[in-house]
Amino acid sequence: GESVGLHLPTLSVQEGDNSIINCAYSNSASDYFIWYKQESGKGPQFIIDIRSNMDKRQGQRVTVLLNKTVKHLSLQIAATQPGDSAVYFCAEICTGANSKLTFGKGITLSVRP
Amino acid sequence: DAGVIQSPRHEVTEMGQEVTLRCKPISGHDYLFWYRQTMMRGLELLIYFNNNVPIDDSGMPEDRFSAKMPNASFSTLKIQPSEPRDSAVYFCASSLDRGLVAGELFFGEGSRLTVL
């Protein structure tokens, strides 16, 4: 399960700095959004989710922001650590009958020591 | 919990051969998903099951692909005959029934398939 990060946009940050990973989603009807993290050789792992009736949600060291007007989602990671290096995917879904989760292409986060 | 278990982790085969990928979902999860990941297309949903019943297979590329879930603890994805363009990492994921076909998906570590 290698990530496909070599051909994805890359964000390089210094260890200890805050990271902001951005995602533009496509479906204006989407009402539920999720961020996943994929480390090299592993499957994607759930980080945080947000519903369309919210514009911000905080987790441990992570915050997700949702701007429905411009269909934009962002993931903020505070005090970025080497273990945060991975490919990050945003995913969207329009909840309802037969709805399916659609993943974005992914962004590689590289943390410089 | 051991998480979602997939096998094999790596498979190299020749064009025309049959490939079978296996998945054991997390016990108690009602949904099982098969995804394919490639550099060109990213993560694509192939098919998903709810309570062992295939719900949506519209993502299955063509008739060469088939998936089964004979019981709640086992699923297979079969490619017959395989072609070089099938080379990818195939992920299985499972989730609880939350009334959404989403929620937190738990992914396995994937099966990396190379078709020569």
Coordinates of all heavy atoms in Angstrom, one line a residue, chain A residues 1-4 7 32 34 36 38 41-46 49 51 89 93 95-96 98-101 103 105, chain B residues 9 35 37-43 45 48 55-56 58 89 91 98 100-105 107-109 112:
Chain A
G1 N 0.8 -1.2 0.0 CA 0.0 0.0 0.0 C 0.8 1.2 0.0 O 0.7 2.1 0.9
E2 N 1.7 1.4 -0.9 CA 2.5 2.6 -1.0 C 1.6 3.8 -1.4 O 0.7 3.7 -2.1 CB 3.6 2.5 -2.0 CG 4.7 1.6 -1.6 CD 5.9 1.7 -2.6 OE1 6.0 2.7 -3.4 OE2 6.7 0.8 -2.6
S3 N 1.9 4.9 -0.8 CA 1.2 6.2 -1.2 C 1.7 6.6 -2.5 O 2.7 6.1 -3.1 CB 1.5 7.3 -0.2 OG 2.8 7.8 -0.3
V4 N 0.9 7.4 -3.1 CA 1.3 7.9 -4.5 C 1.8 9.3 -4.4 O 1.7 10.1 -5.3 CB 0.0 7.9 -5.4 CG1 -0.4 6.4 -5.6 CG2 -1.1 8.7 -4.8
H7 N 3.9 11.9 -7.1 CA 3.4 12.6 -8.2 C 2.2 13.6 -7.7 O 1.5 14.0 -8.5 CB 2.9 11.7 -9.2 CG 4.0 10.9 -9.9 ND1 4.6 11.3 -11.1 CD2 4.6 9.8 -9.5 CE1 5.5 10.4 -11.4 NE2 5.6 9.5 -10.5
Y32 N -21.0 16.2 4.0 CA -20.2 15.6 5.0 C -18.8 15.4 4.4 O -18.6 15.0 3.3 CB -20.8 14.2 5.4 CG -20.1 13.4 6.5 CD1 -19.8 14.0 7.7 CD2 -19.8 12.1 6.2 CE1 -19.1 13.2 8.7 CE2 -19.1 11.3 7.2 CZ -18.8 11.9 8.4 OH -18.2 11.2 9.4
I34 N -14.5 14.5 5.2 CA -13.5 13.8 6.1 C -12.1 14.0 5.6 O -11.9 14.1 4.3 CB -13.8 12.3 6.0 CG1 -15.3 12.0 6.3 CG2 -13.0 11.5 7.0 CD1 -15.7 10.5 6.1
Y36 N -8.4 12.2 5.6 CA -7.7 10.9 5.9 C -6.2 11.2 5.7 O -5.7 12.0 4.9 CB -8.1 9.8 4.9 CG -9.4 9.2 5.2 CD1 -10.6 9.7 4.8 CD2 -9.4 8.0 6.0 CE1 -11.8 9.1 5.2 CE2 -10.6 7.4 6.3 CZ -11.8 7.9 5.9 OH -13.0 7.3 6.2
Q38 N -2.6 9.1 4.9 CA -2.0 7.8 4.5 C -0.5 7.8 4.6 O 0.2 8.6 3.9 CB -2.4 7.5 3.0 CG -2.0 6.1 2.6 CD -2.5 5.8 1.2 OE1 -2.8 6.7 0.4 NE2 -2.5 4.5 0.9
G41 N 3.1 2.8 2.7 CA 2.9 1.4 3.0 C 1.7 1.0 3.8 O 1.5 -0.1 4.1
K42 N 0.8 2.0 4.0 CA -0.3 1.7 4.8 C -1.6 2.2 4.2 O -1.5 3.0 3.2 CB -0.2 2.4 6.2 CG 0.9 1.9 7.0 CD 0.9 2.4 8.4 CE 2.0 1.8 9.3 NZ 2.0 2.4 10.7
G43 N -2.7 1.8 4.7 CA -4.0 2.3 4.2 C -4.3 3.7 4.8 O -3.8 4.1 5.8
P44 N -5.3 4.4 4.2 CA -5.7 5.7 4.7 C -6.3 5.5 6.1 O -6.9 4.5 6.4 CB -6.8 6.1 3.7 CG -6.5 5.4 2.5 CD -5.9 4.1 2.9
Q45 N -6.1 6.5 6.9 CA -6.5 6.5 8.3 C -7.3 7.8 8.6 O -6.9 8.9 8.3 CB -5.3 6.4 9.3 CG -5.7 6.4 10.7 CD -4.4 6.3 11.6 OE1 -3.3 6.6 11.2 NE2 -4.6 5.9 12.8
F46 N -8.5 7.6 9.2 CA -9.4 8.7 9.5 C -8.7 9.7 10.4 O -8.0 9.3 11.4 CB -10.6 8.1 10.1 CG -11.6 9.2 10.7 CD1 -12.7 9.6 9.9 CD2 -11.5 9.7 12.0 CE1 -13.6 10.5 10.4 CE2 -12.4 10.6 12.5 CZ -13.4 11.0 11.7
D49 N -13.6 14.7 10.9 CA -14.7 14.9 9.9 C -15.5 16.2 10.3 O -15.3 16.7 11.4 CB -15.6 13.7 9.9 CG -16.3 13.3 11.2 OD1 -16.0 14.0 12.2 OD2 -17.0 12.4 11.3
R51 N -19.4 18.2 9.3 CA -20.7 18.2 8.6 C -20.9 19.6 8.1 O -20.4 20.6 8.6 CB -21.9 17.8 9.5 CG -21.7 16.3 10.0 CD -22.9 15.7 10.6 NE -22.6 14.4 11.1 CZ -22.5 13.3 10.4 NH1 -22.8 13.4 9.1 NH2 -22.2 12.2 11.0
F89 N -5.7 13.2 2.3 CA -6.8 13.2 1.4 C -8.0 13.8 2.0 O -8.3 13.5 3.2 CB -7.2 11.7 1.0 CG -6.2 11.0 0.2 CD1 -5.3 10.1 0.9 CD2 -6.1 11.0 -1.1 CE1 -4.3 9.4 0.2 CE2 -5.1 10.3 -1.8 CZ -4.3 9.5 -1.2
I93 N -19.0 13.6 0.7 CA -20.1 12.7 0.4 C -21.4 13.5 0.5 O -21.5 14.4 1.4 CB -20.2 11.5 1.3 CG1 -21.3 10.5 0.9 CG2 -20.3 11.9 2.7 CD1 -21.2 9.2 1.5
T95 N -24.8 12.8 1.8 CA -25.4 11.7 2.5 C -26.8 11.4 2.0 O -27.6 12.3 1.7 CB -25.4 12.0 4.0 OG1 -26.1 13.2 4.2 CG2 -24.0 12.1 4.6
G96 N -27.2 10.2 2.0 CA -28.5 9.8 1.4 C -28.4 8.4 0.8 O -27.4 7.8 0.9
N98 N -27.7 5.4 -1.3 CA -26.7 5.1 -2.3 C -25.6 6.1 -2.5 O -25.0 6.2 -3.6 CB -27.4 4.8 -3.7 CG -26.6 3.8 -4.5 OD1 -25.8 3.0 -4.0 ND2 -26.7 4.0 -5.8
S99 N -25.4 6.9 -1.5 CA -24.3 7.9 -1.6 C -23.0 7.2 -1.4 O -22.9 6.2 -0.7 CB -24.5 9.0 -0.6 OG -24.7 8.5 0.7
K100 N -22.0 7.8 -2.0 CA -20.6 7.2 -2.0 C -19.6 8.3 -1.6 O -19.7 9.4 -2.0 CB -20.3 6.5 -3.3 CG -21.1 5.3 -3.6 CD -20.7 4.7 -5.0 CE -21.2 5.6 -6.1 NZ -21.0 4.9 -7.4
L101 N -18.6 7.9 -0.9 CA -17.5 8.8 -0.5 C -16.6 9.0 -1.7 O -16.1 8.0 -2.3 CB -16.8 8.2 0.7 CG -15.9 9.1 1.5 CD1 -16.7 10.2 2.2 CD2 -15.2 8.2 2.6
F103 N -13.0 10.6 -2.8 CA -11.7 11.0 -2.3 C -11.1 12.0 -3.3 O -11.1 11.8 -4.5 CB -10.7 9.9 -2.1 CG -11.0 9.1 -0.9 CD1 -12.0 8.1 -0.9 CD2 -10.3 9.3 0.3 CE1 -12.2 7.3 0.2 CE2 -10.6 8.6 1.4 CZ -11.5 7.6 1.4
K105 N -7.4 13.9 -4.7 CA -6.2 13.3 -5.2 C -5.1 13.2 -4.2 O -4.3 12.3 -4.3 CB -5.6 14.2 -6.4 CG -6.5 14.1 -7.6 CD -6.6 12.8 -8.2 CE -7.4 12.8 -9.5 NZ -7.6 11.5 -10.1
Chain B
R9 N -0.2 -9.2 0.6 CA 0.2 -7.8 0.7 C 0.8 -7.4 -0.7 O 0.7 -6.3 -1.1 CB 1.3 -7.7 1.8 CG 0.7 -7.7 3.2 CD -0.3 -6.5 3.5 NE 0.2 -5.2 3.1 CZ 1.1 -4.5 3.8 NH1 1.5 -4.9 4.9 NH2 1.4 -3.3 3.3
Y35 N -11.6 -0.6 -2.6 CA -11.0 0.5 -3.3 C -9.8 0.1 -4.1 O -9.1 -0.8 -3.8 CB -10.6 1.6 -2.4 CG -11.7 2.4 -1.8 CD1 -12.4 2.0 -0.6 CD2 -12.1 3.7 -2.4 CE1 -13.4 2.8 -0.1 CE2 -13.1 4.4 -1.8 CZ -13.8 4.0 -0.7 OH -14.8 4.8 -0.1
Q37 N -6.3 2.0 -5.7 CA -5.5 3.3 -5.7 C -4.4 3.2 -6.8 O -3.6 2.3 -6.8 CB -4.9 3.5 -4.4 CG -4.2 4.8 -4.2 CD -3.6 5.1 -2.8 OE1 -3.1 4.2 -2.2 NE2 -3.8 6.3 -2.3
T38 N -4.4 4.2 -7.7 CA -3.4 4.3 -8.7 C -2.9 5.8 -8.7 O -3.6 6.7 -8.2 CB -3.9 4.0 -10.1 OG1 -5.0 4.9 -10.4 CG2 -4.5 2.6 -10.1
M39 N -1.8 6.0 -9.3 CA -1.2 7.3 -9.4 C -2.1 8.2 -10.3 O -2.3 9.4 -10.0 CB 0.2 7.3 -10.0 CG 1.2 6.6 -9.0 SD 2.7 6.2 -9.8 CE 3.3 7.8 -10.4
M40 N -2.7 7.6 -11.3 CA -3.5 8.4 -12.2 C -4.9 8.8 -11.6 O -5.3 9.9 -11.8 CB -3.7 7.7 -13.5 CG -2.4 7.5 -14.3 SD -1.8 9.1 -14.8 CE -3.0 9.7 -15.9
R41 N -5.5 7.9 -11.0 CA -6.9 8.1 -10.6 C -7.1 8.2 -9.1 O -8.2 8.5 -8.7 CB -7.8 6.9 -11.1 CG -7.8 6.8 -12.6 CD -9.0 5.9 -13.0 NE -9.2 5.9 -14.5 CZ -8.9 4.8 -15.2 NH1 -8.5 3.7 -14.7 NH2 -9.1 4.9 -16.5
G42 N -6.0 8.0 -8.3 CA -6.2 8.1 -6.9 C -7.0 7.0 -6.3 O -6.9 5.9 -6.8
L43 N -7.8 7.2 -5.3 CA -8.6 6.2 -4.7 C -10.0 6.1 -5.3 O -10.7 7.1 -5.3 CB -8.8 6.5 -3.2 CG -7.8 6.0 -2.2 CD1 -7.9 6.7 -0.9 CD2 -7.9 4.5 -2.0
L45 N -13.6 3.9 -5.6 CA -14.5 2.9 -5.0 C -14.9 1.9 -6.1 O -15.5 2.3 -7.1 CB -15.7 3.5 -4.4 CG -16.7 2.5 -3.8 CD1 -16.1 1.8 -2.6 CD2 -17.9 3.3 -3.3
Y48 N -19.2 -1.9 -2.9 CA -19.4 -2.0 -1.4 C -20.6 -2.9 -1.1 O -21.5 -3.1 -1.9 CB -19.5 -0.6 -0.7 CG -20.8 0.1 -0.8 CD1 -21.8 -0.1 0.1 CD2 -21.0 1.1 -1.8 CE1 -23.0 0.6 0.0 CE2 -22.1 1.8 -1.9 CZ -23.1 1.6 -1.0 OH -24.3 2.3 -1.1
I55 N -24.2 -3.7 -2.7 CA -25.1 -2.6 -2.8 C -24.8 -1.8 -4.1 O -25.8 -1.4 -4.8 CB -25.0 -1.6 -1.6 CG1 -25.3 -2.4 -0.3 CG2 -26.0 -0.5 -1.8 CD1 -26.7 -3.1 -0.3
D56 N -23.6 -1.5 -4.4 CA -23.3 -0.7 -5.5 C -22.0 -1.2 -6.1 O -20.9 -1.1 -5.5 CB -23.1 0.8 -5.1 CG -22.9 1.7 -6.3 OD1 -22.5 1.2 -7.4 OD2 -23.2 2.9 -6.1
S58 N -21.0 -0.2 -9.3 CA -20.9 0.7 -10.5 C -19.4 1.1 -10.7 O -19.1 1.5 -11.8 CB -21.7 1.9 -10.4 OG -21.4 2.7 -9.2
V89 N -2.8 -0.6 -6.1 CA -2.9 -1.1 -4.7 C -4.4 -1.2 -4.5 O -5.2 -0.2 -4.7 CB -2.3 -0.2 -3.7 CG1 -2.5 -0.7 -2.3 CG2 -0.8 0.0 -4.0
F91 N -7.4 -1.7 -1.8 CA -7.7 -1.6 -0.4 C -9.1 -2.1 -0.1 O -10.0 -1.9 -0.8 CB -7.6 -0.1 0.1 CG -6.2 0.4 0.2 CD1 -5.7 1.2 -0.8 CD2 -5.4 0.1 1.2 CE1 -4.5 1.8 -0.8 CE2 -4.1 0.6 1.3 CZ -3.7 1.5 0.3
R98 N -23.9 3.5 10.3 CA -24.2 4.8 11.0 C -25.4 5.4 10.3 O -25.8 6.6 10.6 CB -23.1 5.8 11.0 CG -21.9 5.3 11.7 CD -20.9 6.4 11.8 NE -19.7 6.1 12.6 CZ -18.7 6.9 12.9 NH1 -18.8 8.2 12.4 NH2 -17.7 6.6 13.6
L100 N -25.2 6.2 7.3 CA -24.5 6.9 6.2 C -23.6 5.9 5.5 O -23.0 5.0 6.1 CB -23.6 8.0 6.7 CG -24.2 9.1 7.6 CD1 -23.2 10.0 8.1 CD2 -25.2 9.9 6.8
V101 N -23.4 6.0 4.2 CA -22.4 5.2 3.6 C -21.1 6.0 3.6 O -20.6 6.4 2.6 CB -22.8 4.9 2.1 CG1 -21.9 3.9 1.6 CG2 -24.2 4.3 2.1
A102 N -20.7 6.3 4.8 CA -19.5 7.1 4.9 C -19.0 6.8 6.4 O -18.7 5.7 6.7 CB -19.7 8.5 4.7
G103 N -18.9 7.9 7.1 CA -18.4 7.7 8.5 C -17.0 7.3 8.4 O -16.3 7.5 7.5
E104 N -16.5 6.8 9.5 CA -15.1 6.4 9.6 C -14.9 5.1 9.0 O -15.4 4.1 9.4 CB -14.7 6.4 11.1 CG -13.2 6.1 11.2 CD -12.8 6.3 12.7 OE1 -13.6 6.7 13.5 OE2 -11.6 5.9 12.9
L105 N -14.2 5.1 7.9 CA -13.8 3.9 7.2 C -12.5 3.4 7.8 O -11.5 4.2 8.0 CB -13.6 4.1 5.7 CG -14.8 4.5 4.9 CD1 -14.4 4.6 3.4 CD2 -16.0 3.6 5.1
F107 N -9.4 1.2 7.0 CA -8.7 0.5 5.8 C -7.8 -0.5 6.3 O -7.1 -0.4 7.3 CB -8.0 1.6 5.0 CG -8.9 2.5 4.2 CD1 -9.5 3.6 4.7 CD2 -9.0 2.2 2.8 CE1 -10.3 4.4 3.9 CE2 -9.8 3.0 2.0 CZ -10.5 4.1 2.6
G108 N -7.6 -1.5 5.4 CA -6.5 -2.5 5.6 C -5.3 -1.9 5.0 O -5.2 -0.7 4.6
E109 N -4.2 -2.7 5.0 CA -2.9 -2.1 4.6 C -2.7 -2.3 3.1 O -1.7 -1.8 2.5 CB -1.8 -2.8 5.3 CG -1.8 -2.4 6.8 CD -0.5 -2.7 7.5 OE1 0.2 -3.6 7.2 OE2 -0.2 -1.9 8.4
R112 N -0.8 -4.9 -3.0 CA -0.2 -4.3 -4.1 C -0.1 -5.3 -5.2 O 0.6 -6.4 -5.1 CB 1.2 -3.8 -3.8 CG 1.9 -3.0 -4.9 CD 3.2 -2.5 -4.5 NE 3.8 -1.7 -5.5 CZ 3.7 -0.4 -5.6 NH1 2.9 0.2 -4.8 NH2 4.2 0.2 -6.6

